Amino acid sequence: MNDLVRQHTALDDSDLEWLHLLVSEWQLLSDLSFADLVLWIPTRDGTRYVSVAQMRPNTGPTSYQNDMVGHMVPRGRRPMLDAALDEGRIVREGDPEWREEVPVRVESIPVRRDGRVLGVIARNTNLLTVRTPSRLELTYLQSASDLAQMIAAGSFPFPGQQVDMDASPRAGDGMLRLDADGVVQYASPNALSAYHRLGLAADLVGHHLGETTAQLAPSRAPVDEGLAKLASGWAPREFEVEANGGVIQLRVIPLKPKGSHIGSLVLLRDVTELRRRERELITKDATIREIHHRVKNNLQTVAALLRLQARRIGSAEGREALEEAVRRVGSIAIVHETLSQNLDERVEFDEIADRVLAMVAEISPGRVTTRRTGRFGILDAEVATPLSMVLTELLQNALEHGFGPGEQGTVEVTAVRGGTRADARLLISVQDDGRGLPEDFDPHRAGNLGLQIVRTLVEGELGGRFDMVPATERGTRVVLDLPVRGEKP
């Protein structure tokens, strides 16, 4: 719609925003009318109309088998469009049109904003299945007529009340028609069933909806005045009521077809099962986060015990081995701490990588500088946990074996996401400018425990490739190529 309006019409951005607001609401008008809606806007030169939006009803057969959006119609070919645009009134004159042997009643509704007519809604009703209307259908049609008059007067849709069409109740979910005092004049079967779910034993018709709803909802006072006012229909509102184990979602639409309040339309939906599932998911998420939090605490306790044990060992080799174990446990704890703060089992790994860099850099404070370039992005927990250990081992190995006592240098971690969504890859390099690799060194056969851990995790758990080669100028470069799932940064 944006492209069509800007390309062919003289409407500005504020007018376009009004049309978006209208289109977010007009599924209701289509359903209540049992009719297709097509929005026609006059072109910049005033010689034609362009259709910028279309809506088919959920309550009846369509009048258009084809998509009408983008069609152009010369001015004069459809007189009712011209009359609605020029005179600013709803036009219903004329005999039904025949389209592919189907009679169609056509009406034109001007779309008004701030006193100006922006375009025209063509309402097309398939008359092939017309029958004696029921009370529900008559209520639908009357409500549709009231909404159409409000659109023509510029009082509907309501500014600042853009509705999520997927989340809000629809006419078929349940509908109530209230009079000007908030008394129920009509209740559809679905609406009555929803209120029975809340504990209502009687009929709704003839009762004040606000007072009835407030009495059903648990409250300290006999009548919740705020809830009673919301459900009385004086202002456009969307809210939920919970009682007797049931939850219903209500949307109130005041009806003012001629400027004065004549009543309200209330759409409602039973969302009891939906809210129950949402609460179960919230409880599950909270439980998972608590588990990660406790695992992190336990790992930190293990790390503290290992650190304490290291201080009591006289052997330098034994103390160094325990300190390495502390860092390995710490890298896993960092992942679980991050997971304990998330709603799902995915983490932003850049934060974890930076914390691992800071933790490992404590081995040689002030001597070797560590830094990260590029982004790891979002990773699943099953990738993040082993990858944090791999990164810890590689950094620890570079700092311990790449530089001698007192030597200064740099260790840089680079991460690049690539590949396609079906075959996403994460390319990682850990490069130092230290002394380099010994002659005849084979990283795939080296007996170093750290490299054994790296090989096992990269090739076994992560399903990737690992190599260690001399850097271009000086030092060592470790390359990892991993398959990953998750969002690209």
Side-chain angles (χ1 to χ4, degrees):
M1 184 167 73
N2 288 0
D3 293 340
L4 289 171
V5 168
R6 288 170 177 151
Q7 180 180 355
H8 297 288
T9 78
L11 301 184
D12 58 26
D13 287 343
S14 61
D15 295 331
L16 181 57
E17 184 63 29
W18 183 261
L19 296 183
H20 277 292
L21 191 61
L22 172 66
V23 169
S24 74
E25 295 274 21
W26 72 343
Q27 178 71 66
L28 174 61
L29 177 62
S30 178
D31 290 345
L32 293 176
S33 304
F34 308 98
D36 291 77
L37 305 178
V38 179
L39 178 57
W40 297 93
I41 306 295
T43 57
R44 190 173 288 105
D45 59 9
T47 62
R48 295 175 296 171
Y49 298 95
V50 57
S51 61
V52 299
Q54 179 179 1
M55 179 58 67
R56 292 183 173 89
N58 294 317
T59 52
T62 182
S63 302
Y64 288 110
Q65 298 299 326
N66 299 321
D67 189 0
M68 293 296 296
V69 175
H71 278 56
M72 307 286 287
V73 174
R75 185 177 172 87
R77 179 174 296 179
R78 298 190 178 181
M80 285 195 290
L81 290 181
D82 299 338
L85 183 68
D86 297 338
E87 302 172 22
R89 65 180 179 89
I90 298 176
V91 181
R92 295 191 177 94
E93 298 89 354
D95 297 327
E97 298 180 2
W98 287 85
R99 299 176 187 164
E100 299 179 358
E101 300 183 355
V102 175
V104 177
R105 182 174 64 242
V106 181
E107 304 166 84
S108 295
I109 305 167
V111 177
R112 191 183 304 273
R113 173 179 180 264
D114 294 338
R116 297 180 299 118
V117 178
L118 306 182
V120 180
I121 294 176
R123 181 163 55 177
N124 302 267
T125 307
N126 187 324
L127 300 177
L128 196 61
T129 58
V130 170
R131 62 184 186 280
T132 303
S134 63
R135 176 75 187 280
L136 181 145
E137 291 170 328
L138 289 173
T139 305
Y140 271 32
L141 292 172
Q142 179 59 52
S143 301
S145 176
D146 293 335
L147 287 177
Q149 292 182 58
M150 292 170 65
I151 292 173
S155 58
F156 186 82
F158 304 110
Q161 293 286 326
Q162 188 160 358
V163 173
D164 184 347
M165 294 174 60
D166 295 327
S168 288
R170 298 190 178 187
D173 297 324
M175 191 186 82
L176 303 173
R177 177 78 187 228
L178 313 184
D179 65 14
D181 296 322
V183 176
V184 179
Q185 294 179 313
Y186 174 78
S188 72
N190 285 346
L192 193 58
S193 296
Y195 263 82
H196 286 166
R197 186 75 176 262
L198 294 183
L200 180 69
D203 194 0
L204 271 173
V205 176
H207 292 81
H208 190 278
L209 181 67
E211 295 176 358
T212 301
T213 304
Q215 289 169 356
L216 290 171
S219 174
R220 296 179 181 178
V223 175
D224 186 328
E225 294 183 0
L227 183 58
K229 187 175 182 180
L230 280 176
S232 296
W234 283 93
R237 292 289 186 273
E238 190 166 332
F239 59 99
E240 291 187 2
V241 177
E242 182 172 0
N244 196 39
V247 184
I248 62 172
Q249 180 184 13
L250 298 96
R251 184 188 174 205
V252 178
I253 303 172
L255 297 176
K256 302 177 181 180
K258 296 182 180 179
S260 59
H261 181 75
I262 66 166
S264 304
L265 194 62
V266 180
L267 307 179
L268 62 152
R269 174 190 295 165
D270 185 346
V271 293
T272 304
E273 293 304 314
L274 178 62
R275 295 295 176 261
R276 182 184 63 81
R277 292 192 187 101
E278 287 177 352
R279 288 167 184 165
E280 288 179 351
L281 288 174
I282 291 172
T283 302
K284 179 181 177 182
D285 288 339
T287 302
I288 292 173
R289 289 199 299 271
E290 179 62 22
I291 289 172
H292 284 302
H293 180 71
R294 294 190 182 187
V295 169
K296 182 263 297 184
N297 288 344
N298 291 338
L299 289 172
Q300 288 180 337
T301 301
V302 171
L305 292 173
L306 291 173
R307 194 176 293 112
L308 182 62
Q309 186 67 38
R311 292 173 185 163
R312 293 175 174 270
I313 292 181
S315 168
E317 184 177 351
R319 186 165 53 252
E320 183 179 343
L322 285 177
E323 288 174 351
E324 288 182 358
V326 167
R327 287 188 286 272
R328 289 167 185 146
V329 173
S331 67
I332 302 175
I334 291 173
V335 177
H336 282 282
E337 182 179 4
T338 306
L339 288 168
S340 70
Q341 301 169 3
N342 292 344
L343 294 177
D344 54 19
E345 292 292 290
R346 302 167 75 192
V347 296
E348 177 63 62
F349 196 81
D350 296 308
E351 178 186 349
I352 293 174
D354 291 340
R355 294 181 63 180
V356 168
L357 279 166
M359 178 182 67
V360 176
E362 295 176 358
I363 300 174
S364 56
R367 291 193 301 109
V368 179
T369 302
T370 59
R371 64 170 178 259
R372 172 179 62 85
T373 59
R375 291 194 59 195
F376 289 86
I378 297 174
L379 299 176
D380 292 338
E382 62 186 15
V383 174
T385 301
L387 182 56
S388 68
M389 289 193 65
V390 168
L391 193 57
T392 301
E393 297 298 332
L394 293 177
L395 289 169
Q396 189 168 287
N397 188 73
L399 291 173
E400 290 185 355
H401 302 291
F403 303 92
E407 289 184 354
Q408 295 184 346
T410 301
V411 178
E412 182 176 13
V413 177
T414 304
V416 177
R417 294 289 284 267
T420 63
R421 184 174 293 274
D423 183 26
R425 313 291 298 184
L426 176 59
L427 303 178
I428 305 169
S429 72
V430 179
Q431 182 168 326
D432 65 72
D433 55 3
R435 65 186 65 171
L437 295 172
E439 293 185 9
D440 301 327
F441 179 81
D442 185 354
H444 299 284
R445 295 184 179 180
N448 179 286
L449 177 60
L451 290 181
Q452 288 181 4
I453 292 175
V454 170
R455 286 199 302 269
T456 300
L457 293 177
V458 171
E459 298 173 358
E461 289 198 30
L462 296 175
R465 295 189 295 272
F466 154 72
D467 200 6
M468 180 180 286
V469 296
T472 305
E473 296 181 358
R474 184 180 179 216
T476 304
R477 183 168 182 257
V478 180
V479 180
L480 306 178
D481 182 0
L482 310 175
V484 295
R485 294 189 300 274
E487 298 177 3
K488 290 186 178 182

